[in-house]
Amino acid sequence: MDVFDARRRFSDRLTSRRGAWVALGVTLLGFIVLFGLFSGASAPVLSDQAPADSESAQAAALLKDFPDADKQSVLLVASRTDGSHLTDADRAGLERVKDAVRSVAADDVSGPIMSEDEEAAVMVAPITVGDSNSETATVLADVRASVAEAPVDGVTIFVTGGPAFGADIAAAFDGADFTLLAVTILIVAVLLIVTYRSPVLWLLPLTIVALADGAAGRVTAAAAQAWNLQFDAGIISVLVFGAGTNYALLLISRYREELERHENHRDALSSAWRATVPAIVASNLTVVIALLSLALAVIPGTRGLGVSSALGLVLALAAVLFGLPPLLAVCGRRVFWPFIPRPGGTAATGRVWRRVATGVVRRPVISAVAGLALLGVMAAGLIGTTVGLDQMEKFRVQSESATGLEVLAEHFPAGEAQPVMIVARSGQADEVVEAVRDVSGVVRAHPAGTNDSAGLTSIMVTGEYAPGTPESLAQIAHLRDAAHSVADADARVGGAVATDVDARAGNVRDLWVVAPLVIVISFIVLTILLRSLVAPVLLLVVNVLSAVAAIGAGAWLSRMLFDQPALDLQVPLLSFLFLVALGIDYTIFLVHRARTEAAAVGTREGMIRAVAGTGSVITSAGLVLAGVFAALGVLPLVTLGQLGLIVGVGVVVDTIVVRTIIVPALFSLLGDTVWWPKNPRRVRVASGASQQHSTESNHEHRRSTSLAR
């Protein structure tokens, strides 16, 4: 029995009367087992920004072993709301605030320290931080509550500093996952209703994909605990919903076509399953392998996202291929009500896409030039784009900690809130202090603590530059040069700004390592699927151009519409990965169909038929994927909003412009040469494909007769 017969027999059983119920039972049992096994797993805490072997990460690990390492300081920054000098009465009020905060602080509260212009004051309150930002947020809430209990008339007090930033990020995500899930489901539901024009059909794929998303959330959380992975759970959910819905759209679209050819809906569904499985599996395999390439990344959040996303998409694939068909088989043709497809019917949308494709193929040069010119205009948005947001720019909605830092920077050395921490051997600590004091921009440097058992001393360095500015980033290199110049000090320079420097370097490294690998993976999959060398090269070039254009357009829109001066560090790599890998999905959906049609009618007419047959489903799939990525905009971090914007714009352009205009135009220009070295028409004749088709028809006829009996 060959592969074709095996696939036919499996699809027949999957959609048969008894087989459909058995498959549904197995699918439901599988979900129950997954939910039960991993019910206690919780999503990871995303905290490490720099590579694990970076100098800042090494310094942070050493600092954790110091006495009272769980005690860190937050800053209480006070200023008058009218911008005038702080009065004696204001200072007396701040003493009352200090007394109130002392009850929840881990140690004595120092200050208030007045600024030189006497318009602001700062108090330093040590707190006991938790194992995660969420636990620290609870402590910080007590501090802010204590501040609120001792109000000072006309004075605003902000709680800021390193622990406050992390806590505010955690607090900003309270309820955000539920909001994201609700918005994602709403978007998918609306788009499916519009696509299917049925009040019932949309519930089937949405239910299956929602179950896959729930299982993926628990499985990936368990994987994170087992393998120490860090990732954003919201992105996983978006990927599962987006890709899973795309697979369902492709299957159901082909099912609708087959219902216009078959009297028996089970025969139609079986045929649709066989026709779409190669494209769905190939597209899923491409994205999964591309995501697994992120395992080579050095940024913890990027590396963890790759493995977890791959697991989520495998679950989405299994749910759609083995859960949705039996559900459709049980419901029958009537699930398409009120527009129930009947044998002999013709979809109106197919006629529209056929006219579009015919126009493109008749004028391929004009179409290709116009489409590529649009991509060029979009890519021009990269001009003037910078990468890297500081702490204040990472929040979509301004936080108290970010506002407090702004006030602090106006009246004190801007580096007060996030000092640089250096760990060195105690015997050479004084030499390190003297060395770093001579670095330009250093306000002060002094020992801050010792770890006698390890023979180490921590040194706090305060700079005059605001964290995240080019001057502060450049200062880290100078501080490292100075500290490393002290013989036998074994100095490690860390702190928030040093972590930012190492994170930037790590993200650049990941981009240059992972992006080429994603392109190679996509090329291999396309070559195997299309059995061609020319088509994969052509498609990948267009796909990469489309991804670059989307990043450029997204960067420009971020600057112009949302006043975001730069892209966050992880956005370029993740955007490129998702756009190329997910864009290959639509390439596979279109070109796999085109190759099948080209075997009978040639490349140009085959491409017209492919666009006519897949134009509606690819556009619908693209809009669904763009919509679910846009849902990331409800989350509070700019990073996720930018990622959602870029991928959303890119997917829409890719489905409407690239797959509808550029690819058909280029294939029309090259003709049958695009399939070199194996022309599908010659292969069809040589292999006797017509005889195989006749054999399949006989099988279908015998099966229909058997079912009728």
Side-chain angles (χ1 to χ4, degrees), residues 8 12 45 81 97 101 113 381 499 514 520 536 544 558 690:
R8 179 186 59 78
D12 286 349
V45 178
T81 53
V97 173
V101 173
I113 303 169
T499 299
V514 175
V520 171
V544 170
S558 294
S690 58

Side-chain angles (χ1 to χ4, degrees), residues 359-529:
V360 169
V361 169
R362 284 177 180 172
R363 301 176 181 84
V365 175
I366 295 176
S367 300
V369 170
L372 292 172
L374 175 61
L375 297 186
V377 172
M378 293 171 60
L382 290 171
I383 299 174
T385 297
T386 57
V387 178
L389 298 172
D390 62 33
Q391 290 280 19
M392 291 182 289
E393 296 166 341
K394 289 187 177 182
F395 287 96
R396 183 171 55 84
V397 179
Q398 191 75 308
S399 65
E400 180 178 339
S401 55
T403 305
L405 182 59
E406 290 180 344
V407 175
L408 184 73
E410 291 175 3
H411 304 284
F412 291 91
E416 290 281 6
Q418 294 182 322
V420 176
M421 300 300 298
I422 302 176
V423 182
R425 295 191 183 278
S426 298
Q428 289 75 35
D430 291 340
E431 295 179 60
V432 174
V433 170
E434 292 301 321
V436 299
R437 279 176 178 167
D438 294 334
V439 174
S440 176
V442 171
V443 175
R444 60 180 174 273
H446 60 86
T450 59
N451 183 349
D452 293 331
S453 62
L456 299 175
T457 296
S458 63
I459 300 166
M460 182 181 293
V461 181
T462 301
E464 66 180 47
Y465 308 122
T469 59
E471 295 82 4
S472 72
L473 299 175
Q475 188 183 55
I476 295 298
H478 299 317
L479 287 172
R480 284 175 171 168
D481 289 340
H484 296 166
S485 68
V486 178
D488 300 323
D490 197 21
R492 296 289 183 268
V493 178
V497 181
T499 299
D500 193 5
V501 170
D502 293 338
R504 289 169 186 258
N507 277 284
V508 170
R509 179 264 181 201
D510 287 348
L511 178 62
W512 289 111
V513 170
V514 175
L517 189 57
V518 170
I519 295 174
V520 171
I521 290 169
S522 300
F523 175 78
I524 293 173
V525 173
L526 284 175
T527 301
I528 294 173
L529 179 71

